[in-house]
Amino acid sequence: MQVSTQSHFIQDQKLDHFFNQKTKFKYDYYIEKTMQYLSGFLDNSSFYSGASASQLNSKKKSLSFSNDETCSIEDALEQIKDLYLDHAISFQHPRYVAHLNCPVVLPALVGDLIASSVNTAVETWDQSTSATLIEQEVIRWICDKMNLPKSADGVFTSGGTQSNFMALLLARDHYAFTYFGLNLKENGWSDVVSKFRFFCSEKAHFSLKKNAALLGMGYKAIITVATDEKMKMKPEALVQAIEREKQLGNIAIGVAATAGTTDFGSFDPLQTIAKIAKEYNIWYHIDGAYGGGYILSETHKHLLDGTALADSITIDFHKTMFQPVCSSAFLVGDTQNFKYISHYADYLNPLEHRNEDCPNLIEKSIQTTRRFDALKLWFTLKMTGEKQLGSFLEKVHYLALDLYHSIKDDTCFEIVLKPELSTLVFRYKNYEHQHNSKLDRINLHIKNKLFATGQASIASTKLDGNIFLKFTLLNPTSTIEDLLEIIYLIKETANEYKIQNEKAYAH
Ligand SMILES: *Cc1c(COP(=O)(O)O)cnc(C)c1O
C-alpha cells in the first residue's frame, strides 16, 4: 500500500502549480507571459473577429482536455488565443455599443488580480479580516453618496439580478412579519403570501419578474405600471394599480422605482414614488443597476433625489463604475432588515460568538463563499477618484446627446427619445410607405450583419412589438466620430439590403 501511495506522488510533478512562496518566480513568469497575450488582445483590430458560430464550433476539439496531454503555459496561452482571445468581444472597442458592458479601468484590474491571487473569502471575519473592513468602507461610502441614514448598510452581490432578488425577499418577509406576524424564514410559505403584490414600471428590468418566480410568488406577483412618453412610471397609474389590486383582495407590499431603465436610461420620479410608498406603508426599492452610478455626476445626481427614503437600493458598479464583472451592491435603509436572511452556522458564525468588532458579512448575504469584489472598487476610488468617475459618466451622456442631435433630423432614422443617460434607441426608416414588419426585418438585418462582419456591435430591443436599434454608450474614450462611423455603416448596410431585396423582387 505504502509503495503505491509513494509512486502516486512521484507521478505528480505539478505541486509547483500552487501559489505559494516557493513558486514566486513561476507566478511572475506566468503573469508576464499572460500579459503578452492580453496586449495582443488589445491589439485586435475590430471588436470581434467576425468568426461564425460554426467556425467557432469547429474548434471544439481543441477545447477539450485530457490528463494524458497537459501542456505548458506557452501552449495553453497559444490555444486560448486561438479559441478565445482572438474572438472575445472587446468592450473597450469604440465599435462596441451594444449592452451595459463597460470598459474597465486599470486600477480595478490591479485590485482584481490581488483579490484572485490572495483568494480571500469575505463571508466570515476569520477568513477575511481587514477585507471585511474594506468592503464595509466601500459600502459606507456608497450609502453616504445615496444619502441613506446612519442605520443603512449593504453588501456586495453578483449583480443587479441578485440585488433585486434580495429586495423582493426582504420586502416580502418584512411585510409578512410586520403585518401578519409571520416568520417565513422559519416556517416557510403561508397562503396569504399568494396575495402579495409588488409594483414596478412596464420598463423595469425583467429580473423582478424572474425573481418573483424564484421566490415562489410567480410572475403574477409583479404588477407593471404604465409609463409616460419619457418612459418614466406614471405615479397616478401606480396609485390606480395599487387600488385596483386592493379591490381584488390582493395586498400591496412594495414598489420598485427604476433609476435608469435598461433600454432608455429613464428615471422614474423617485420622490413621488417614495411618498406613495410611504402612504401605503409598502417597501420602497430603487433599482439603480444602471443609473445608480450617476450619483457621482454633477449633471445627473438630482435625478437620484429620493434615494434617502429608500428601503433598499440596487447599484451595479460593473455597469457604470468601470469595474470588471462582478461588482455590484445591495443597500438597505435599515440594517435590521438583513435579519430576514441571516443564518448562524455552527461551523462559520455561531450566534454565541457574535462580536461587533469582528463582523461576519455572511449575515447580510445570500451567498456563502464570496469574492473580495470590493477591492477593485477601492483601488478605483483611491487612484481614479469619484469625481473622475462622475465625469466619465457625463462624457458618455454627452456623447449620447451629441449622437441624438447629429441624427435627429436625418430622414433615415426614427428616434424614440432624447437620451436621459447614455443610451439611444432608434430605428432605420428610409423607405416610403413602410410597414412595421418590413422595418423589423431591415433593422434586424442591420444589427446581425454588422455583428457577423465584425464591423460593429449594436443592440436591439422591442418597442410596442417592433424592433429598434440601441446604442449603449459606456466608453468615455470614444468620440462622436467613432459613433458617426457606425451610423454610416448602418446606412450602407441598409442600402445594400434594399438593393438585394429589390433584385430578388424583380426576379
Ligand atoms: C442590468 C440591469 C439589471 C441586472 O443586473 P445584472 O448585474 O446584469 O444582474 C437590473 N436592473 C436594471 C435596471 C439593469 O439595467
Side-chain angles (χ1 to χ4, degrees):
M1 267 337 254
Q2 196 133 29
V3 175
S4 83
T5 313
Q6 192 78 18
S7 70
H8 184 75
F9 276 110
I10 289 165
Q11 274 171 21
D12 188 354
Q13 299 291 316
K14 301 283 170 70
L15 286 174
D16 65 350
H17 276 197
F18 288 93
F19 176 65
N20 62 36
Q21 201 235 347
K22 289 194 181 114
T23 59
K24 275 196 281 191
F25 295 109
K26 191 167 195 120
Y27 180 74
D28 288 348
Y29 179 72
Y30 277 15
I31 295 282
E32 193 184 304
K33 280 281 149 203
T34 306
M35 291 305 156
Q36 290 168 15
Y37 281 80
L38 284 174
S39 79
F41 169 67
L42 291 176
D43 287 337
N44 284 352
S45 58
S46 64
F47 84 91
Y48 179 49
S49 67
S52 68
S54 70
Q55 279 170 317
L56 293 181
N57 268 300
S58 71
K59 294 175 185 287
K60 264 205 174 133
K61 197 165 174 319
S62 49
L63 278 174
S64 61
F65 23 77
S66 116
N67 201 47
D68 299 331
E69 296 172 38
T70 58
C71 67
S72 64
I73 176 93
E74 285 83 1
D75 287 347
L77 284 167
E78 202 48 47
Q79 285 178 34
I80 213 62
K81 172 177 163 15
D82 179 54
L83 276 169
Y84 168 61
L85 290 173
D86 284 351
H87 310 288
I89 306 293
S90 298
F91 297 149
Q92 73 279 2
H93 198 283
R95 293 282 181 85
Y96 182 85
V97 293
H99 301 288
L100 281 161
N101 311 103
C102 52
V104 295
V105 290
L106 298 178
L109 291 178
V110 173
D112 223 4
L113 180 62
I114 295 176
S116 288
S117 302
V118 180
N119 196 29
T120 292
V122 292
E123 68 268 27
T124 56
W125 178 267
D126 69 344
Q127 300 171 78
S128 170
T129 62
S130 50
T132 294
L133 302 179
I134 292 169
E135 171 162 331
Q136 287 198 313
E137 191 57 30
V138 176
I139 289 288
R140 175 49 45 203
W141 166 78
I142 191 66
C143 285
D144 288 347
K145 284 277 143 203
M146 293 289 180
N147 283 316
L148 288 169
K150 279 263 167 305
S151 58
D153 199 357
V155 68
F156 270 70
T157 65
S158 63
T161 303
Q162 189 185 95
S163 297
N164 284 345
F165 180 89
M166 293 176 77
L168 276 174
L169 177 67
L170 263 52
R172 180 190 73 180
D173 289 18
H174 179 69
Y175 203 94
F177 180 72
T178 310
Y179 298 100
F180 296 94
L182 293 167
N183 183 341
L184 299 184
K185 185 168 90 176
E186 289 282 342
N187 303 318
W189 193 259
S190 167
D191 279 348
V192 71
V193 178
S194 307
K195 297 189 167 156
F196 284 7
R197 295 292 179 271
F198 197 92
F199 300 78
C200 63
S201 96
E202 58 193 11
K203 294 286 181 279
H205 194 258
F206 71 84
S207 58
L208 288 167
K209 272 197 177 142
K210 179 171 165 175
N211 287 327
L214 295 175
L215 284 163
M217 300 163 78
Y219 291 168
K220 75 165 194 329
I222 303 292
I223 305 293
T224 55
V225 175
T227 49
D228 64 15
E229 69 291 345
K230 289 187 167 165
M231 310 297 172
K232 298 165 181 287
M233 187 196 283
K234 288 184 184 166
E236 65 280 10
L238 171 63
V239 172
Q240 280 162 12
I242 293 174
E243 288 297 334
R244 193 171 53 238
E245 289 303 318
K246 279 171 68 173
Q247 267 171 19
L248 291 169
N250 293 322
I251 302 162
I253 64 155
V255 56
T258 307
T261 55
T262 313
D263 277 347
F264 298 98
S266 46
F267 281 73
D268 290 339
L270 300 190
Q271 279 172 314
T272 315
I273 296 172
K275 239 185 249 159
I276 297 169
K278 197 164 170 47
E279 268 161 37
Y280 285 97
N281 272 322
I282 61 179
W283 190 274
Y284 178 39
H285 176 63
I286 297 176
D287 181 359
Y290 174 20
Y294 272 83
I295 196 76
L296 303 183
S297 138
E298 289 306 318
T299 53
H300 281 71
K301 66 178 184 199
H302 68 278
L303 292 167
L304 287 147
D305 284 352
T307 51
L309 304 164
D311 290 302
S312 56
I313 299 178
T314 290
I315 179 167
D316 262 357
F317 308 118
H318 60 218
K319 281 178 178 164
T320 45
M321 287 197 199
F322 312 100
Q323 301 298 297
V325 175
C326 301
S327 181
S328 187
F330 174 67
L331 314 176
V332 289
D334 182 356
T335 188
Q336 295 300 325
N337 284 321
F338 278 125
K339 68 172 180 272
Y340 299 109
I341 54 165
S342 55
H343 182 87
Y344 299 91
D346 290 340
Y347 82 99
L348 272 178
N349 59 331
L351 188 55
E352 63 275 18
H353 293 165
R354 206 154 190 261
N355 174 353
E356 291 293 319
D357 292 335
C358 308
N360 294 316
L361 297 181
I362 190 173
E363 285 152 31
K364 301 190 275 186
S365 178
I366 59 172
Q367 295 169 250
T368 302
T369 307
R370 189 159 61 81
R371 282 173 53 83
F372 183 17
D373 283 320
L375 186 59
K376 50 203 175 191
L377 186 52
W378 185 88
F379 265 93
T380 307
L381 292 170
K382 279 276 177 186
M383 292 174 63
T384 311
E386 61 178 67
K387 280 218 170 73
Q388 205 58 48
L389 291 174
S391 80
F392 294 156
L393 293 176
E394 284 161 25
K395 180 114 196 275
V396 293
H397 166 67
Y398 286 114
L399 265 182
L401 268 191
D402 258 9
L403 181 63
Y404 167 78
H405 287 296
S406 305
I407 67 171
K408 83 177 179 354
D409 299 321
D410 190 328
T411 53
C412 292
F413 297 112
E414 173 188 352
I415 303 182
V416 179
L417 203 61
K418 187 172 162 186
E420 190 156 22
L421 283 185
S422 65
T423 59
L424 189 71
V425 181
F426 63 99
R427 64 177 170 171
Y428 181 84
K429 189 179 192 180
N430 191 27
Y431 301 33
E432 298 293 302
H433 316 299
Q434 287 226 28
H435 288 296
N436 272 324
S437 62
K438 202 165 170 188
L439 284 173
D440 282 354
R441 277 199 298 278
I442 190 166
N443 279 286
L444 212 50
H445 172 81
I446 290 167
K447 175 189 125 161
N448 292 337
K449 179 82 192 291
L450 290 181
F451 183 88
T453 51
Q455 294 183 89
S457 180
I458 52 190
S460 65
T461 188
K462 278 189 181 170
L463 189 64
D464 301 328
N466 293 117
I467 302 278
F468 279 74
L469 303 175
K470 177 169 77 159
F471 278 30
T472 305
L473 305 178
L474 287 176
N475 189 344
T477 69
S478 288
T479 62
I480 183 69
E481 287 75 27
D482 292 323
L483 302 179
L484 291 177
E485 276 176 34
I486 306 178
I487 294 293
Y488 173 78
L489 291 170
I490 289 175
K491 287 186 181 179
E492 205 179 52
T493 309
N495 283 335
E496 282 164 15
Y497 180 86
K498 197 175 146 188
I499 292 165
Q500 275 165 14
N501 269 32
E502 277 165 7
K503 260 195 214 144
Y505 196 67
H507 284 170

